[in-house]
Amino acid sequence: MDIVGFLKSQFICHLLICYIFIVSGLIINFIQLFTLILWPINKQLFRRINCRLAYCISSQMVMLLEWWSGTDCTLYTDPESYHKYGKENAIVILNHNFEIDFLCGWNFCERFGVLGSSKVLAKKELSYMPIIGWMWYFLEIVFCKRKWEEDRKTVVQKLLNLRDYPENFWFLIHCEGTRFTEQKHQISMQVAEAKGLPKLKYHLLPRTKGFAVTVQCLRNVVSAVYDSTLNFRNNENPTLLGVLNGKKYHADLYVRQDVPEDEQECSTWLHKLYQEKDAFQEEYYRTGTYPAVPTVPPRRPWTLLNWLFWALLLLYPLFKLLINMINSGSSLTLASFAFVIIIASVGVRWMIGVTEINKGSTYGNNDNKQKQK
């Protein structure tokens, strides 16, 4: 292992990265709180400012993928569609098979300049999570409880509010509702059999109601639906911990464009789409490629520059404090610092654990909840 790779794998480096992310994130959340005074005065200015503040947080995660781990991403798509990316509002359908698929979705947004304004349909519990959850609140992210009877009115209202959004945005959505596991797949395919739908080998049955409502509410502002299928070469199963350790992966992302016509057609269209996604997945496993022109979107420097800014701003006072504590020679002070390090270590491990498949949501596992939303 080279010296750079060795340093990237050291826990102290991970702690420093997480320190920068947590402290800068809380500072940005605090600034976002003060932007609320702009909402009744100039809503569009509030939105533009929060897009940039949100970018300061989410781009740090993308920096880890692009610059720290050096992960490559090859995009397979139609050349005519490629030139539209980032220049129009779009709904982006993502498969949900990997621990870092959300991060690759953000990377896709970053390469085309819409990371700060990107939207998601997220579970309500995430809105209470400091930094990212709070950031999403100010970005007018659509949160749901995963109970459609309770969610419909709130989701519709939140989506309609985005119709006059001043920035180009991509609305990222995992139509499967939860990350793929073998147990969830078995249950999902039982539902497919009961409903007379074709079974899928590599995906869960898509949940159509949320997608149909999203398309209908955003129809006047969204130009297209981008279906994206993500895979990693050499059958790699990347993790956030691997990215944090500086491990390099190679992602292949297949993106195609379409627009369903009406809500009834959305359901049929989405089921057909997932059958096609399954076929693309089968083809990728067999040949290692997708049926489209490969290209590598240029990596932009802003994620790295943003991280360096926060690192320079926050590491100096940290090191100065550490030196002062060591010079003080106080056993109580040193013990307090060690305690903080332990708490920070536990916090870092918890944040990583949120993305791990074996610790993911139980949504979709319960036989009593087999009815598709």
Side-chain angles (χ1 to χ4, degrees):
M1 179 184 293
D2 61 88
I3 185 64
V4 175
F6 174 77
L7 289 174
K8 287 181 178 180
S9 67
Q10 298 307 296
F11 185 66
I12 186 64
C13 291
H14 303 167
L15 274 181
L16 291 176
I17 289 173
C18 291
Y19 160 76
I20 294 168
F21 178 75
I22 292 171
V23 176
S24 65
L26 292 175
I27 290 172
I28 292 166
N29 285 160
F30 187 69
I31 296 172
Q32 287 181 305
L33 183 63
F34 281 94
T35 65
L36 286 174
I37 63 176
L38 291 173
W39 181 265
I41 302 171
N42 191 329
K43 182 172 70 172
Q44 302 298 49
L45 178 60
F46 166 88
R47 287 169 157 175
R48 292 184 187 278
I49 291 174
N50 274 284
C51 282
R52 281 131 189 95
L53 291 173
Y55 182 84
C56 291
I57 296 177
S58 55
S59 67
Q60 292 188 50
M61 299 289 290
V62 176
M63 185 283 299
L64 283 178
L65 187 72
E66 289 187 330
W67 297 92
W68 183 259
S69 82
T71 293
D72 294 322
C73 183
T74 300
L75 179 65
Y76 292 78
T77 192
D78 176 17
E80 293 185 7
S81 299
Y82 180 88
H83 296 293
K84 298 178 182 178
Y85 295 157
K87 300 175 182 177
E88 61 183 5
N89 295 333
I91 297 171
V92 182
I93 298 175
L94 301 165
N95 57 329
H96 211 3
N97 295 53
F98 304 99
E99 289 183 9
I100 65 166
D101 46 22
F102 78 97
L103 195 50
C104 291
W106 278 4
N107 179 55
F108 183 33
C109 293
E110 161 58 22
R111 296 294 173 99
F112 294 98
V114 292
L115 175 60
S117 58
S118 63
K119 314 296 178 188
V120 295
L121 181 63
K123 56 185 178 182
K124 181 67 175 178
E125 293 83 353
L126 292 177
S127 66
Y128 307 114
M129 181 181 291
I131 304 176
I132 291 180
W134 296 350
M135 170 193 79
W136 278 350
Y137 172 82
F138 291 98
L139 272 182
E140 301 170 70
I141 293 301
V142 181
F143 293 105
C144 61
K145 299 178 181 178
R146 291 174 163 177
K147 297 178 180 179
W148 187 243
E149 295 75 15
E150 300 178 24
D151 286 332
R152 183 181 179 93
K153 184 177 180 180
T154 302
V155 169
V156 168
Q157 186 57 55
K158 291 287 187 180
L159 289 169
L160 291 176
N161 289 341
L162 297 178
R163 287 188 168 187
D164 64 342
Y165 209 78
E167 304 272 339
N168 285 336
F169 68 87
W170 287 355
F171 193 95
L172 312 181
I173 183 169
H174 295 285
C175 292
E176 294 159 274
T178 186
R179 186 177 281 127
F180 183 99
T181 66
E182 287 300 330
Q183 181 182 3
K184 293 175 183 177
H185 182 251
Q186 291 176 9
I187 295 172
S188 184
M189 291 309 98
Q190 291 172 11
V191 175
E193 184 175 7
K195 292 189 172 184
L197 296 169
K199 292 186 177 181
L200 305 172
K201 293 177 65 176
Y202 307 106
H203 299 86
L204 305 180
L205 202 64
R207 298 171 185 265
T208 61
K209 290 183 179 179
F211 173 74
V213 167
T214 301
V215 170
Q216 294 304 309
C217 290
L218 298 180
R219 177 168 296 281
N220 294 334
V221 295
V222 166
S223 302
V225 175
Y226 301 156
D227 169 46
S228 63
T229 302
L230 175 70
N231 273 296
F232 289 87
R233 295 184 186 177
N234 304 317
N235 292 319
E236 291 178 317
N237 189 18
T239 64
L240 185 57
L241 185 59
V243 171
L244 199 56
N245 280 320
K247 184 175 181 180
K248 182 175 182 177
Y249 301 104
H250 195 122
D252 287 326
L253 185 67
Y254 177 46
V255 180
R256 54 192 180 133
Q257 179 177 322
D258 202 353
V259 181
E261 291 300 326
D262 54 48
E263 185 167 348
Q264 181 57 42
E265 184 186 333
C266 276
S267 178
T268 303
W269 181 90
L270 190 61
H271 282 298
K272 181 181 178 182
L273 182 84
Y274 268 76
Q275 293 165 34
E276 294 171 352
K277 285 170 77 72
D278 237 36
F280 293 140
Q281 193 85 320
E282 184 86 51
E283 181 72 10
Y284 184 86
Y285 285 147
R286 189 176 64 84
T287 65
T289 189
Y290 289 117
V293 179
T295 185
V296 179
R299 183 170 57 179
R300 309 191 320 156
W302 311 119
T303 57
L304 180 61
L305 292 175
N306 173 71
W307 186 84
L308 289 174
F309 166 78
W310 287 106
L312 291 172
L313 184 67
L314 298 175
L315 287 180
Y316 173 73
L318 175 67
F319 289 143
K320 186 176 180 179
L321 175 63
L322 179 59
I323 291 172
N324 289 338
M325 291 175 66
I326 293 174
N327 290 336
S328 73
S330 169
S331 299
L332 179 61
T333 301
L334 294 176
S336 299
F337 182 75
F339 177 74
V340 170
I341 291 295
I342 293 172
I343 295 298
S345 302
V346 172
V348 169
R349 193 63 192 86
W350 174 78
M351 291 177 68
I352 293 173
V354 170
T355 70
E356 293 177 347
I357 290 177
N358 62 352
K359 296 182 181 179
S361 167
T362 59
Y363 182 60
N365 281 341
N366 195 326
D367 287 330
N368 295 326
K369 296 182 180 180
Q370 291 182 4
K371 181 178 179 182
Q372 298 296 298
K373 304 293 182 182

